[in-house]
Amino acid sequence: MANYSEPSSSISFTSPSHISNGSNGYNISSSSITEARSNLEIISLNKLSSNLGKLLIESDSNYSDAVVMVEGSHVCIHRCILAARSKFFCDLFEGSKDCGEKDGKIKYKMSEILPFGNVGYDAFLVFLNYLYTGKMKSAPLEVSNCVHEGCPHDACRPAIVFAVELMYASVIFQVPELVSLFQRRLLNFVDKALVEDMIPILLVAFHCELTHILTQCVHRVARSDLDDVSLEKELPVEVSRDVKSLRYKSQDENKPVSVKSEEQALREKRIKQIHKALDSDDVELVKLLLTESNITLDEANALHYAVSYCDQKIVKEVLGLDLADVNRRNSRGYTVLHIAAMRKEPSIIVSLLSKQASVLEMTRDGQSAVGICKRLTRPKDYNMKTEHGQEANKDRLCIDLLEREIMRNSMGGDVPVSSSAIADDLQMKLLHLENRVAFARLLFPTEAKLAMEIANANTTSGTKGPSGNLIEMDLNDTPSMQNKRLVSKIEALSKTVEMGRRFFPHCSEVLDKFMLDDFPDLVYLENGTPEEQIIKRTRFIELKEDVQRAFTKDKATKDKAKLPSILTHGIKNRTRKYS
């Protein structure tokens, strides 16, 4: 883990060495008195520092007069301290008459204070601690480490981003001693980090005019295999131009510079047109460009580009063309799934896996898609809990999806599907599927949403609760047309269930058991005679115990394929309600 504490100064606490007898006892030399005073000052400053630090952590004695909103949380500050320590805050507070108030305190928003860059909640607290106490705290592990078990955490993305945020705070809030400290920290990352992880360092150096760091970053990028498309999309124009210039100059002087043929120039122009069409969300134009030229989606690395920079809807449309190899590698050796792992968007990962993207492919430096995802994820984000019925944690969901696919591949196929007592009648079958999807959306909202998106079942998934039959019949339709309409809905919902069983097997196992044994009795616990209600509540408690045993069993398999905790929360809440 990167430690941001500076080595403490070497201070000697020695006893007075010059003591002589005087007429009235002892005579202490002047040098000893000076040393004693110095030691007393150090002790007093340490005590003052500790007392001021308590203002940040003790809510019972909060005498703050302002609030800064950071990442949805409020941080109480004392304007007198910040104004004395930073000219930026002094100027800010002088012109803050128009700011809003929160509980009688002036309120500021971090997003409005910063002219560029980002300073997160945890980085801001570390920065404030320095302003209050004069001491630099170590970076919290949960935000400066990643969740990859084999990572030394000396140059992973969370460590870099945390240092970058502190550099932004140091520069913008005008604390020069911290600027000097974090310049050294960031320079240590430049040669260790992967080139894509180094981009945040380059950006903070560019925006904060840190010339030395910027020069080192530009030379590092110029030596790397980062392609021109990435240079143009991710770097400022001036920096991209400097990198290309360095690459051109580094060519062997004895080697004649090759001149692009007219055909090569036209080919590059067509590829850029395809990329621009993707930027414009115009897949029809992409199809037209492919028709008019002899360039394929693979030659243009169009799927890599879409996964990196386009909306997830466009990614799905490009995949739907079935013209691209989902396991193709770009010039840097990354498959499309590797790029999706860097983006950490669950719906894109599921879309690729459903198109048979290989989760086992490795990069040139030995990273898998799940390894890439873990190196980008902070423990704080991975372990963030969500309440029952809320959106699931995307960072954890991406990793779980990839790990489940690895497990599925190691098992040699799909997880066996449990049987259901479903009537052959089409309407009864549709009713069963609609109820099953409805409960999936209730218990596992994010997982169900992803499965429905991949199955194109959104138009048939408006079920809001149990027995929410969405069958819409036109009385003028012939029986064959009605059956055709039912079959279409059944196919979409069946595909949703299939996607759920593939990507979320434990969620599906719980739903299968619930639908087979307990639906609809346990849905309406308050119905029936008192004796029947007692029987239903008893069975509901048994179901809760079954789920808890499943949790224990899953934990024994290294936390892979763990049942989502939101199910337990849901069962506890409902059991409490009807007990």
Side-chain angles (χ1 to χ4, degrees):
M1 188 205 103
N3 188 334
Y4 298 99
S5 297
E6 281 291 88
S8 58
S9 302
S10 177
I11 302 172
S12 176
F13 292 89
T14 58
S15 300
S17 58
H18 302 288
I19 303 178
S20 60
N21 289 328
S23 59
N24 56 352
Y26 291 97
N27 182 24
I28 302 176
S29 67
S30 60
S31 62
S32 299
I33 295 175
T34 302
E35 186 175 1
R37 287 176 177 172
S38 176
N39 291 341
L40 180 60
E41 288 177 359
I42 293 172
I43 294 172
S44 298
L45 287 173
N46 283 333
K47 187 174 182 179
L48 175 62
S49 172
S50 176
N51 290 338
L52 288 174
K54 291 180 180 179
L55 292 175
L56 289 173
I57 59 177
E58 292 186 357
S59 57
D60 294 339
S61 57
N62 185 358
Y63 305 109
S64 62
D65 58 353
V67 172
V68 179
M69 301 300 298
V70 190
E71 295 181 341
S73 300
H74 68 273
V75 179
C76 295
I77 62 172
H78 305 75
R79 289 183 295 166
C80 57
I81 296 178
L82 269 60
R85 299 281 280 143
S86 163
K87 187 177 184 303
F88 175 90
F89 283 113
C90 183
D91 296 338
L92 174 68
F93 298 149
E94 284 182 359
S96 60
K97 296 179 180 179
D98 297 331
C99 294
E101 291 192 0
K102 177 181 176 62
D103 300 329
K105 300 177 182 179
I106 296 180
K107 182 176 69 176
Y108 302 89
K109 294 182 179 179
M110 181 65 75
S111 58
E112 297 176 356
I113 294 175
L114 300 177
F116 47 76
N118 176 66
V119 177
Y121 175 80
D122 297 281
F124 187 54
L125 288 184
V126 171
F127 176 79
L128 281 182
N129 184 80
Y130 176 79
L131 291 188
Y132 276 65
T133 68
K135 298 179 181 179
M136 200 67 207
K137 289 178 60 177
S138 297
L141 294 176
E142 66 271 15
V143 293
S144 61
N145 283 2
C146 68
V147 296
H148 196 292
E149 298 86 354
C151 180
H153 309 304
D154 59 347
C156 56
R157 180 69 71 88
I160 291 174
V161 169
F162 192 77
V164 164
E165 290 181 357
L166 283 170
M167 175 58 89
Y168 272 122
S170 303
V171 171
I172 296 171
F173 301 146
Q174 301 176 25
V175 184
E177 63 270 28
L178 288 187
V179 174
S180 177
L181 168 64
F182 287 108
Q183 277 194 8
R184 297 194 295 273
R185 299 299 183 192
L186 294 179
L187 282 172
N188 287 336
F189 288 132
V190 171
D191 291 324
K192 295 179 182 179
L194 298 173
V195 65
E196 54 266 25
D197 292 338
M198 199 196 65
I199 299 300
I201 302 176
L202 190 151
L203 293 177
V204 71
F206 174 78
H207 289 300
C208 297
E209 300 181 356
L210 305 172
T211 307
H212 183 53
I213 298 180
L214 182 59
T215 300
Q216 295 295 318
C217 290
V218 168
H219 280 80
R220 169 70 200 284
V221 174
R223 296 192 304 267
S224 74
D225 58 357
L226 200 65
D227 56 87
D228 287 349
V229 173
S230 299
L231 293 178
E232 295 170 1
K233 293 291 291 186
E234 300 178 29
L235 303 182
V237 176
E238 304 93 320
V239 177
S240 176
R241 184 173 58 243
D242 290 344
V243 170
K244 292 179 181 178
S245 176
L246 276 176
R247 284 180 173 177
Y248 179 80
K249 291 179 180 178
S250 64
Q251 293 178 352
D252 188 356
E253 294 180 357
N254 297 324
K255 182 180 178 180
V257 179
S258 59
V259 179
K260 293 181 181 179
S261 65
E262 184 177 342
E263 182 179 350
Q264 288 176 318
L266 179 61
R267 183 175 181 277
E268 290 184 3
K269 180 181 178 181
R270 290 293 191 184
I271 290 175
K272 287 185 178 181
Q273 288 175 337
I274 292 173
H275 292 170
K276 287 182 179 179
L278 290 171
D279 287 335
S280 302
D281 298 343
D282 195 341
V283 178
E284 290 300 319
L285 179 57
V286 172
K287 293 164 63 176
L288 180 62
L289 291 171
L290 293 174
T291 303
E292 293 180 349
S293 65
N294 58 353
I295 298 175
T296 66
L297 283 178
D298 287 340
E299 290 173 334
N301 281 327
L303 193 51
H304 289 81
Y305 186 92
V307 168
S308 294
Y309 306 114
C310 298
D311 184 79
Q312 54 196 25
K313 177 176 177 292
I314 299 303
V315 174
K316 190 173 181 180
E317 290 184 16
V318 174
L319 280 171
L321 298 177
D322 290 325
L323 298 175
D325 179 7
V326 294
N327 291 310
R328 176 182 172 83
R329 294 178 180 269
N330 62 12
S331 60
R332 304 187 62 209
Y334 290 152
T335 67
V336 184
L337 191 59
H338 292 150
I339 303 297
M342 295 178 189
R343 182 168 173 175
K344 293 198 298 183
E345 178 54 57
S347 62
I348 292 179
I349 291 176
V350 172
S351 297
L352 292 171
L353 293 177
S354 67
K355 288 289 186 178
Q356 309 307 315
S358 174
V359 76
L360 302 177
E361 295 291 334
M362 308 292 283
T363 63
R364 291 171 183 169
D365 57 353
Q367 294 188 86
S368 64
V370 69
I372 291 172
C373 208
K374 286 183 175 181
R375 285 191 75 259
L376 298 174
T377 302
R378 308 182 305 175
K380 178 180 180 179
D381 300 324
Y382 182 79
N383 297 319
M384 183 176 65
K385 296 180 180 180
T386 53
E387 298 298 328
H388 170 64
Q390 293 182 349
E391 290 289 321
N393 181 347
K394 283 191 174 184
D395 295 270
R396 189 183 190 108
L397 185 55
C398 288
I399 294 173
D400 287 350
L401 283 169
L402 294 168
E403 287 186 336
R404 288 170 186 168
E405 186 68 5
I406 292 173
M407 179 175 289
R408 192 184 73 87
N409 288 347
S410 66
M411 293 170 63
D414 292 328
V415 179
V417 177
S418 59
S419 60
S420 297
I422 302 178
D424 293 332
D425 179 79
L426 288 179
Q427 292 193 16
M428 289 300 297
K429 187 172 184 178
L430 178 59
L431 178 62
H432 173 87
L433 289 170
E434 286 180 332
N435 282 327
R436 193 185 189 286
V437 171
F439 279 107
R441 296 179 68 193
L442 176 65
L443 299 175
F444 314 105
T446 302
E447 290 84 346
K449 180 181 178 182
L450 287 175
M452 291 163 63
E453 287 179 351
I454 300 305
N456 290 316
N458 288 325
T459 57
T460 63
S461 59
T463 311
K464 297 182 180 180
S467 304
N469 191 355
L470 293 182
I471 303 174
E472 296 178 0
M473 291 293 178
D474 187 341
L475 297 179
N476 295 321
D477 282 346
T478 62
S480 62
M481 287 296 294
Q482 292 178 358
N483 285 342
K484 185 177 180 180
R485 194 187 305 275
L486 286 174
V487 168
S488 176
K489 292 184 177 182
I490 289 172
E491 288 177 349
L493 291 172
S494 296
K495 190 174 181 182
T496 298
V497 174
E498 178 187 343
M499 291 295 103
R501 287 196 173 109
R502 173 175 176 181
F503 295 112
F504 311 108
H506 295 288
C507 302
S508 297
E509 181 181 344
V510 172
L511 287 169
D512 286 340
K513 181 177 180 61
F514 181 79
M515 296 297 294
L516 180 64
D517 298 334
D518 304 300
F519 178 81
D521 287 343
L522 296 186
V523 179
Y524 305 105
L525 296 180
E526 69 278 11
N527 290 354
T529 64
E531 293 77 11
E532 291 175 339
Q533 292 181 27
I534 293 174
I535 294 174
K536 290 179 183 181
R537 284 196 293 269
T538 302
R539 176 62 193 120
F540 202 87
I541 293 173
E542 291 175 355
L543 177 61
K544 182 187 71 172
E545 292 174 350
D546 290 342
V547 173
Q548 290 175 336
R549 281 194 292 270
F551 274 119
T552 303
K553 182 179 178 182
D554 288 333
K555 289 179 181 178
T557 59
K558 297 181 180 179
D559 200 31
K560 291 183 178 179
K562 184 189 294 182
L563 286 172
S565 60
I566 55 176
L567 178 64
T568 300
H569 296 322
I571 291 179
K572 286 181 179 179
N573 291 338
R574 298 180 68 177
T575 304
R576 191 180 301 114
K577 176 180 178 181
Y578 294 110
S579 297

